[in-house]
Amino acid sequence: MKLTVVGGGSTYTPELIDGFARLRDTLPIEELVLMDPATDRLELIGALARRIFARQGHTGTITTTTDLDEAVDGADAVLLQLRVGGQAARQQDETWPLDCGCVGQETTGAGGLAKALRTVPVVLDIADRVRRTNPTAWIIDFTNPVGIVTRALLQEGHKAVGLCNVAIGFQRKFAAMLGVTPAEVHLDHVGLNHLTWETGVRLGGPEGENVLPKLLADHADTIAADLHLPRTLLDRLAVVPSYYLRYYYAHDEVVGELRTKPSRAAEVAAMERQLLDLYADPALDEKPELLSKRGGAYYSEAAVDLAAALLSGAGSPHQVVNTYNNGTLPFLPDDAVIEVQAAVGPTGPAPLPVPTLDPLYAGLMANVTAYEDLALDAALRGGRDRVFRALLAHPLVGQYTYADTLTDRLIAHNQEHLAWA
């Protein structure tokens, strides 16, 4: 089995390598290719990856390359984890929206749109090359904004599935609170990427007992603190929203905080410098503790589980993925990309049935789905008017004066990445 990681020079990669090494029985990789245009980082991380494999007794080979066509040639699966524009572009995404009193965030709002515009054309070019080389290969997208990027891939007919670590993070936290193994916890997870709610927590599988009421009764204070939301809100909702819902439920509060502290991009950039120094140590042969603060917790386990299910039918029978709606949520178009539990196997994901959703959540999902449709149109066809329409549709922007100003800021900050600008 050959697996390729595009963006293999990311500081995330050792987390992924650790999972490949520990879970080699689930996903028996014979050849792993790390591809990245950043030669220095790639060689540094490639060397660490080989040491991690050696320490854990993995016999697979790890190669590095800057040549995309060489990397994907013959690959059974290609995992995308790229960041077009790097942390510098992320820094911009998180700052210029604040000038209009809007959230500055890399995956949602105006900053998320900027990232989508930079990313979609690049990802589609990669996917076309994969299809020319090996049309049977699966593409697993971890590149944000995952929902929009996955929709772009599916719309062009690629064998693609989107992946996020929010659900697996909740699964692990809830399992610890309940005193059970993660495998015993099944989440009723529903929404769009970075716009999801846990409407049930079941023991043993989709038909198991729903213990969410007990979980909230016993642990709501801890869960609320993790989400930076008030306990009283969880009590009233009786569900667990993802952290990203805070940008909607406490928008002005978040904007005030973001204006008075360093951006997450600045924090991550500083952390990456430390990580790269650690990775350069030839004695290091495991992922360092600092990496856990970088983000992407349990990313490797989710990636291994998904790849194994797609390639061989191994792995968990039900997994949270991003895929076409196809009638799962009747209030959304069939070609909307939703994030739900699905039965996953070599033929791809099949979403599990979802009970009728409260209008409180369905309405916001429908609004953001409309934005994502306009965002993808802007990413594929360009033009100031399309960018403006997407921003006007987004519930975190909404007002035409803000949308006008943010359109100009977005284009000015991203001209080098937008062929039409």
Side-chain angles (χ1 to χ4, degrees), residues 388 392 398-405:
F388 171 80
L392 189 61
Q399 299 183 53
Y400 77 88
T401 54
Y402 290 172
D404 249 335
T405 301

Side-chain angles (χ1 to χ4, degrees), residues 57-125:
H58 197 301
T59 58
T61 62
I62 297 177
T63 59
T64 58
T65 181
T66 59
D67 186 317
L68 178 62
D69 293 320
E70 174 188 328
V72 302
D73 185 20
D76 296 291
V78 177
L79 198 152
L80 306 180
Q81 57 169 31
L82 57 148
R83 183 185 293 279
V84 180
Q87 293 297 333
R90 178 179 181 174
Q91 170 71 17
Q92 294 175 351
D93 294 344
E94 293 180 347
T95 51
W96 52 264
L98 295 173
D99 295 338
C100 291
C102 296
V103 161
Q105 213 278 330
E106 66 157 341
T107 65
T108 192
L113 177 60
K115 187 167 191 179
L117 298 183
R118 294 192 304 268
T119 304
V120 166
V122 174
V123 165
L124 289 180
D125 177 65

Side-chain angles (χ1 to χ4, degrees), residues 1-85:
M1 180 185 298
K2 176 179 177 179
L3 193 144
T4 297
V5 179
V6 178
S10 168
T11 53
Y12 270 134
T13 300
E15 161 70 25
L16 191 61
I17 300 299
D18 177 74
F20 288 158
R22 287 186 295 102
L23 304 172
R24 55 187 176 275
D25 291 339
T26 303
L27 187 67
I29 299 170
E30 297 168 294
E31 181 182 1
L32 177 63
V33 181
L34 306 180
M35 181 273 158
D36 202 292
T39 308
D40 292 346
R41 287 173 61 133
L42 181 63
E43 292 309 316
L44 192 70
I45 289 169
L48 173 58
R50 294 184 191 98
R51 295 195 298 270
I52 292 174
F53 264 32
R55 175 185 175 129
Q56 300 201 30
H58 197 301
T59 58
T61 62
I62 297 177
T63 59
T64 58
T65 181
T66 59
D67 186 317
L68 178 62
D69 293 320
E70 174 188 328
V72 302
D73 185 20
D76 296 291
V78 177
L79 198 152
L80 306 180
Q81 57 169 31
L82 57 148
R83 183 185 293 279
V84 180

Side-chain angles (χ1 to χ4, degrees), residues 77-372:
V78 177
L79 198 152
L80 306 180
Q81 57 169 31
L82 57 148
R83 183 185 293 279
V84 180
Q87 293 297 333
R90 178 179 181 174
Q91 170 71 17
Q92 294 175 351
D93 294 344
E94 293 180 347
T95 51
W96 52 264
L98 295 173
D99 295 338
C100 291
C102 296
V103 161
Q105 213 278 330
E106 66 157 341
T107 65
T108 192
L113 177 60
K115 187 167 191 179
L117 298 183
R118 294 192 304 268
T119 304
V120 166
V122 174
V123 165
L124 289 180
D125 177 65
I126 294 169
D128 284 342
R129 297 199 203 185
V130 172
R131 183 158 53 190
R132 286 197 299 269
T133 303
N134 184 6
T136 65
W138 279 101
I139 297 175
I140 299 173
D141 178 60
F142 196 71
T143 295
N144 283 317
V146 167
I148 295 172
V149 172
T150 302
R151 187 170 177 181
L153 288 165
L154 292 173
Q155 187 171 284
E156 294 300 315
H158 296 290
K159 291 179 62 178
V161 184
L163 179 65
C164 181
N165 70 319
V166 167
I168 195 171
F170 274 133
Q171 182 198 43
R172 298 305 196 262
K173 287 180 182 177
F174 295 164
M177 290 174 175
L178 294 166
V180 299
T181 66
E184 295 175 81
V185 175
H186 176 94
L187 301 177
D188 290 344
H189 179 102
V190 62
L192 311 177
N193 180 243
H194 288 185
L195 191 84
T196 54
W197 297 264
E198 311 308 325
T199 61
V201 178
R202 302 184 182 276
L203 294 181
E207 305 302 323
E209 177 192 2
N210 181 15
V211 296
L212 178 59
K214 173 177 171 52
L215 192 70
L216 288 173
D218 294 346
H219 302 283
D221 287 334
T222 300
I223 295 170
D226 287 344
L227 299 173
H228 299 281
L229 288 170
R231 157 83 189 253
T232 53
L233 179 62
L234 297 192
D235 290 340
R236 295 171 73 178
L237 296 179
V239 303
V240 179
S242 80
Y243 173 83
Y244 291 91
L245 265 299
R246 187 169 185 256
Y247 298 120
Y248 298 82
Y249 294 162
H251 176 274
D252 293 352
E253 179 183 341
V254 172
V255 169
E257 292 172 2
L258 293 175
R259 282 173 162 168
T260 58
K261 67 178 186 180
S263 68
R264 175 62 179 165
E267 294 174 352
V268 169
M271 199 178 303
E272 285 196 331
R273 289 191 290 271
Q274 297 177 58
L275 285 169
L276 290 170
D277 286 342
L278 291 172
Y279 295 167
D281 180 357
L284 183 69
D285 57 4
E286 59 184 345
K287 63 177 183 179
E289 177 60 30
L290 178 62
L291 186 54
S292 65
K293 300 178 182 178
R294 170 67 177 82
Y298 310 113
Y299 158 42
S300 63
E301 295 176 33
V304 167
D305 217 13
L306 179 55
L310 293 172
L311 295 175
S312 67
S316 303
H318 302 124
Q319 301 179 36
V320 173
V321 297
N322 285 260
T323 191
Y324 269 154
N325 177 40
N326 281 338
T328 306
L329 300 175
F331 56 89
L332 295 182
D334 284 349
D335 64 351
V337 166
I338 59 175
E339 186 172 293
V340 292
Q341 287 278 4
V344 184
T347 59
L352 301 183
V354 175
T356 300
L357 207 58
D358 189 316
L360 180 62
Y361 316 125
L364 184 54
M365 286 178 62
N367 189 338
V368 175
T369 296
Y371 151 75
E372 290 189 347

